[in-house]
Amino acid sequence: MVETLESARTTDQLLTVEDLAVGLVNSETPAIIERIQLTVPRRTVIGVLGESGSGKTMMSLALLGLLSPELAVRSGRIRFEGNDISGRENRRALEALRGPGMAMVSQQPTDCLNPIMHVGTQIERLLRLHRGFSRRDAHEEAAEILTNFGFAQPKAVLGAYPHQLSGGMAQRAVLAMALACRPKLLIADEPTTGLDVTTASEVLDYMMQVIAESEASALVVTHDVGVVAKVTDFLVVMHAGHIVERGPTAEVLTQPSHPYTQGLLASVPTVAAKAELIGIPGQVPSITDYPPGCRFVDRCSFAESRCSTLPPDFAVGDDHVSRCWLHEGK
């Protein structure tokens, strides 16, 4: 793991995203996510935090070229190990990367499983294709992986169809599939969805163990502050399609600088007696209501007149930065 974001920039980068914007095809509506600048160094775990509708999943799907047909990358570049994978002309290269290069765990695990194939067939096929296992060895390896994800009867699960699994079991099976190929970058979108607290902790521990052993990197996409605090080195905070703050996880969580991050952390329940639960007013604006300036302006108690019309930018050359006019010149 690296110590600072600035020092991470001096090493080989695994993933670099430059000014990425995604919007509706053939539409004049504003981009749904835009001005996305993201760097994932090797052997680093980055958290992506934000409430529902902030653009976390859409950004993840764009990185893998898995956007739905009505969406398209409008601008920007995505580079994996220095190779541009963002254009349609790079589709074959991107497809080859999926599995051993990049893998994603969706927050809807059943969407990732073929409903007419046994779970074991799907995991074993990946092991044979990407890691060169024989049929027998792939079966044993798949059973071991499922055991590590908390399945008491892994071979029964290998012989089951997806519809025979509960939501939590499907989530663990999809995590097993994603990690079976030992990807260089794992994108885990709400990896603990549908899991009880104890199982979620065990699954996270094993996921991080595999990532560490394979010297991989990860993007952990979540709205759970506890998850990012436990497993990530750096944190990116998103609101309404913009990255509004980024920096070392511990620093962002203890010294949040953007008003949205401050509100997000203040809304987390605590065990303190009579602790007041403070919510963020309003809601994430719809695409048709995006202002030309800061997209948090209508929910922010510090908003100035320029916030509605002028989009703020990050400070330059800092590890911990936020996109807010409050920090102009700092």
Side-chain angles (χ1 to χ4, degrees):
M1 301 297 179
V2 290
E3 294 183 354
T4 67
L5 198 58
E6 190 63 33
S7 65
R9 295 191 184 102
T10 65
T11 65
D12 288 341
Q13 305 300 337
L14 186 63
L15 179 76
T16 304
V17 182
E18 303 170 355
D19 200 28
L20 179 68
V22 173
L24 294 169
V25 176
N26 300 323
S27 173
E28 296 182 358
T29 56
I32 301 173
I33 62 172
E34 65 176 5
R35 305 170 71 200
I36 300 296
Q37 305 279 351
L38 181 66
T39 299
V40 182
R42 298 179 189 276
R43 300 176 297 281
T44 305
V45 181
I46 295 180
V48 183
L49 183 68
E51 61 194 309
S52 298
S54 59
K56 306 184 302 297
T57 296
M58 185 174 295
M59 180 184 71
S60 302
L61 293 172
L63 299 181
L64 281 162
L66 297 176
L67 292 169
S68 56
E70 67 271 15
L71 297 170
V73 173
R74 290 186 177 178
S75 64
R77 287 285 179 269
I78 303 169
R79 292 185 171 86
F80 188 83
E81 295 187 314
N83 299 311
D84 191 341
I85 58 172
S86 50
R88 291 185 178 274
E89 66 277 9
N90 301 310
R91 184 65 57 186
R92 288 183 180 273
L94 180 56
E95 290 175 353
L97 280 175
R98 294 182 191 136
M102 290 191 289
M104 181 174 177
V105 178
S106 170
Q107 59 181 305
Q108 300 295 335
T110 52
D111 293 346
C112 302
L113 295 169
N114 189 323
I116 62 172
M117 293 175 60
H118 291 125
V119 172
T121 301
Q122 299 179 59
I123 299 176
E124 291 162 26
R125 181 173 291 181
L126 291 173
L127 290 169
R128 294 171 63 195
L129 176 63
H130 294 297
R131 294 181 62 188
F133 278 76
S134 66
R135 187 182 299 273
R136 175 179 294 180
D137 289 344
H139 184 75
E140 294 303 319
E141 177 72 6
E144 182 177 347
I145 292 172
L146 290 182
T147 299
N148 290 329
F149 273 102
F151 287 101
Q153 297 179 310
K155 295 200 174 180
V157 175
L158 292 178
Y161 288 100
H163 73 272
Q164 295 175 304
L165 305 182
S166 68
M169 292 172 72
Q171 182 73 19
R172 285 182 284 158
V174 169
L175 270 167
M177 287 180 62
L179 290 172
C181 295
R182 295 293 196 269
K184 296 178 181 179
L185 174 64
L186 174 69
I187 301 174
D189 191 355
E190 303 290 359
T192 57
T193 297
L195 304 180
D196 61 75
V197 174
T198 301
T199 304
S201 179
E202 292 173 350
V203 166
L204 279 175
D205 287 343
Y206 181 65
M207 184 179 80
M208 299 312 300
Q209 177 186 329
V210 173
I211 289 170
E213 289 175 351
S214 55
E215 297 189 331
S217 297
L219 278 178
V220 179
V221 180
T222 184
H223 59 259
D224 190 329
V225 175
V227 170
V228 296
K230 178 177 181 177
V231 304
T232 67
D233 304 303
F234 299 105
L235 184 58
V236 170
V237 181
M238 291 190 69
H239 173 269
H242 284 168
I243 292 176
V244 296
E245 185 166 357
R246 66 176 185 239
T249 297
E251 190 172 325
V252 173
L253 294 182
T254 57
Q255 304 173 50
S257 60
H258 194 280
Y260 174 69
T261 310
Q262 294 169 0
L264 199 64
L265 297 178
S267 67
V268 177
T270 68
V271 296
K274 298 182 180 180
E276 183 180 2
L277 187 62
I278 304 173
I280 301 176
Q283 58 187 6
V284 178
S286 66
I287 182 174
T288 55
D289 296 326
Y290 282 163
C294 175
R295 293 180 179 178
F296 189 60
V297 61
D298 292 332
R299 311 175 71 188
C300 182
S301 58
F302 302 101
E304 306 171 0
S305 57
R306 60 179 173 175
C307 297
S308 298
T309 56
L310 298 175
D313 211 342
F314 285 120
V316 178
D318 231 334
D319 282 339
H320 182 189
V321 293
S322 64
R323 182 172 275 147
C324 180
W325 285 117
L326 287 173
H327 307 292
E328 182 182 15
K330 295 182 180 179

